[in-house]
Amino acid sequence: MDLLMSGLLERLQHSPSLVLVLTTALLFVIGLVAQVLSDRTSLPAIIFLLGFGSVLGKYGVIPLIDPSIYGNDGLRAIIAIAVAIVVFEGGLLIDFKSFRENWASVLGLVTINVLITILGMAWVTSKIVGIDWNTALLYAGLVSVTGPTVIAPILRRIHVRHKVKVILETEAVLVDAVGVIAAVSIFNYVLATAQTVGAQPAVSDIITNILLSLVLGGISGGICAWASRQVVKYFSPMRGEVTRLLVLATTLSSYTLGEMFSHESGIAAVAVTGFIIGNTDFPHKESIREFKGDLTMMSITVVFLLLSASLDINYLLSIGARGAICVLILMLIIRPTGVFISTIFDKINWRERIFIASLGPRGIVAASAATFFALEMEAKGIPGSNAIRGLVFMTILMTVIIQGSGARYMADLLDISPDSVLLIGAGNIGKTLIHQLKDSSDQGLIVIENDPAKVESLHAVAQEGVYVINADAREEDIYKKQLKNVQHISTIIATSEDDWLNLRVCQIVKRMKPEIRMISVINDVKGREVFENLGIKTINLREAAATVIYVMLDKPLAQEEIQTT
């Protein structure tokens, strides 16, 4: 065995390419474990990714992952591609109608709130941690961003009002573009300050650079989205896999074009490209969302493992309690202040404001930008790179752990779940109802399905706001804990193929809320009386089909109406 192991190690030493392949495979295996643990514990996967990366990284207890094998240029390219994919997917999922209804809050959060965060955290950090103003300002710029990589998974696990969900998800995408460009502008200011003797660069230059970069990024994104649509029109019809490849190429081209115009404008570019494609007539849009969702998960896995693997834990220890206090101030004072001022002109009640203020975890953009700036500062001999790394990663860890794990409790405490329709089963009938109800109803939609394959098929609608629970609908704890004794459920529709399961679920829900409206599909009409004695309205598919055919024969004008519904 020892001889075999020594032979394998010798083989790896003489095959650098094989080491790269093995390390990449290891990243995906660790990412798989992190995702499974996340599903089992309902905690964000980023917590486990950062933990595994720190333990198995370059400075960890078991140093299996060495990011330096990819080289500096290779590592930066991997991070850039991953960030582009993540932000594009975020833009793809923004609904223009929902954005238009909540534009005032979103605009405030990505402008006023960002400014409050930068100025407030720079002052707090310089006073408490004792670092110089420029380093504190750079750190503040980096943590002014939240991120769809953390926000979206958290919101998929809890059920909150659609307005709150839209505001948080849209802020997470747009603030990445604004925040990272602000951080780059601050970084350039720090470089200029360090290299200039006498007159200092004007602060107005930072603001001008931010606005110019955003405009150039938006133009780049618009150009690439337009070009992609022209390709689709010219070569129509295109197969789904070809369309998905086109979208991936468009994402990377958009990012590259934005970066060529202005450093870090690429993030703004891909956000705009994703937004345009997601809100225009583009073929195979649902499969594109699923494809991008898979790529996003892979990107998050690789980037967080590589970045945490390159982090020396001594950076965090050197900051210690002072850094933790700064992060707590960010979560408990700075973020709430920014949110309340930013949303003051929008019709949001105080419960919704508090929830939005309580949820601002930092993600992939903050981590990647911090690593890039730290490397640049070290290369140019500017002090503070270790403080930047340590503070940003401490912020990510604390905000993800505290706010990510506490989001469900805050939602329950503030009672911000919407009135909803509860759908049991995601078979043929259930899935058809899901697509009809999610677009036509003002209420929320909750689906309980026990089949993992059917749950997987609902991934796209889950990203559009449908709350999907993978569980046996006969378990009472679901209704007591996750649905708060169904107090926000107005109607239950049981569509499973098992009549007795449908009956049992209706009994459970009726016992908790006697006045609830109940509708059930029945396959055996002999059991109808049992259902109707409990106040459950029933529908049998054979009888329904016969009735529809009769109506179409008796009233020909009704045929067109039936066919269009």
Side-chain angles (χ1 to χ4, degrees), residues 176-397:
D176 272 354
V178 176
V180 78
I181 289 174
V184 169
S185 300
I186 293 170
F187 180 68
N188 292 334
Y189 172 80
V190 170
L191 287 180
T193 302
Q195 297 169 359
T196 301
V197 179
Q200 301 296 312
V203 177
S204 60
D205 292 343
I206 297 178
I207 299 173
T208 303
N209 190 61
I210 292 172
L211 295 175
L212 181 61
S213 296
L214 286 172
V215 170
L216 292 174
I219 292 172
S220 303
I223 291 172
C224 290
W226 175 84
S228 182
R229 284 179 52 78
Q230 296 309 305
V231 171
V232 167
K233 288 180 181 179
Y234 187 79
F235 293 102
S236 180
M238 292 178 69
R239 300 197 316 272
E241 55 267 34
V242 177
T243 306
R244 292 191 290 273
L245 183 61
L246 169 65
V247 170
L248 179 59
T250 302
T251 301
L252 301 182
S253 299
S254 176
Y255 181 85
T256 304
L257 184 61
E259 289 294 301
M260 290 172 66
F261 278 135
S262 178
H263 185 43
E264 294 301 348
S265 288
I267 292 179
V270 292
V272 170
T273 302
F275 179 76
I276 293 173
I277 290 177
N279 288 277
T280 53
D281 185 21
F282 208 88
H284 308 293
K285 201 178 293 185
E286 187 167 326
S287 68
I288 290 171
R289 289 194 178 105
E290 292 179 1
F291 173 63
K292 283 303 208 178
D294 293 339
L295 288 179
T296 293
M297 186 175 70
M298 293 169 59
S299 300
I300 293 169
T301 297
V302 170
V303 169
F304 272 107
L305 284 174
L306 288 176
L307 293 182
S308 57
S310 63
L311 177 67
D312 189 344
I313 198 68
N314 290 321
Y315 297 158
L316 298 178
L317 297 176
S318 64
I319 297 167
R322 294 171 299 164
I325 291 171
C326 287
V327 180
L328 289 174
I329 291 174
L330 170 64
M331 290 189 289
L332 300 177
I333 299 175
I334 303 294
R335 167 79 177 173
T337 301
V339 169
F340 274 75
I341 293 175
S342 301
T343 60
I344 196 169
F345 296 110
D346 203 354
K347 294 179 180 178
I348 304 177
N349 63 46
W350 65 270
R351 294 175 185 272
E352 294 169 338
R353 278 194 174 89
I354 292 176
F355 183 78
I356 292 171
S358 71
L359 193 59
R362 274 57 185 171
I364 190 171
V365 172
S368 58
T371 303
F372 167 76
F373 291 148
L375 291 173
E376 288 293 309
M377 291 171 75
E378 289 171 359
K380 297 181 183 300
I382 300 174
S385 61
N386 291 345
I388 290 293
R389 272 202 188 102
L391 281 168
V392 170
F393 275 90
M394 180 176 284
T395 304
I396 293 171
L397 277 170

Side-chain angles (χ1 to χ4, degrees), residues 56-71:
L56 303 175
K58 189 176 180 180
Y59 303 98
V61 179
I62 310 172
L64 294 177
I65 304 172
D66 183 7
S68 64
I69 65 170
Y70 294 96

Side-chain angles (χ1 to χ4, degrees), residues 16-71:
S17 60
L18 191 58
V19 174
L20 282 171
V21 174
L22 183 60
T23 301
T24 306
L26 182 61
L27 292 176
F28 287 123
V29 170
I30 296 170
L32 172 64
V33 175
Q35 294 295 336
V36 171
L37 289 173
S38 175
D39 292 338
R40 293 288 185 272
T41 61
S42 294
L43 292 172
I46 288 177
I47 295 174
F48 300 104
L49 292 172
L50 290 174
F52 286 139
S54 300
V55 172
L56 303 175
K58 189 176 180 180
Y59 303 98
V61 179
I62 310 172
L64 294 177
I65 304 172
D66 183 7
S68 64
I69 65 170
Y70 294 96

Side-chain angles (χ1 to χ4, degrees), residues 159-167 349 351-352 414-419 488:
H159 194 45
V160 297
R161 290 171 192 157
H162 184 63
K163 183 182 185 72
V164 174
K165 186 174 184 291
V166 168
I167 290 173
N349 63 46
R351 294 175 185 272
E352 294 169 338
L414 295 169
D415 193 24
I416 59 169
S417 297
D419 291 334
H488 289 290

Side-chain angles (χ1 to χ4, degrees), residues 548 551-553 555-565:
V548 171
V551 171
M552 291 171 68
L553 291 172
K555 299 177 180 179
L557 292 177
Q559 182 172 352
E560 292 185 17
E561 182 178 347
I562 292 171
Q563 289 177 337
T564 56
T565 59

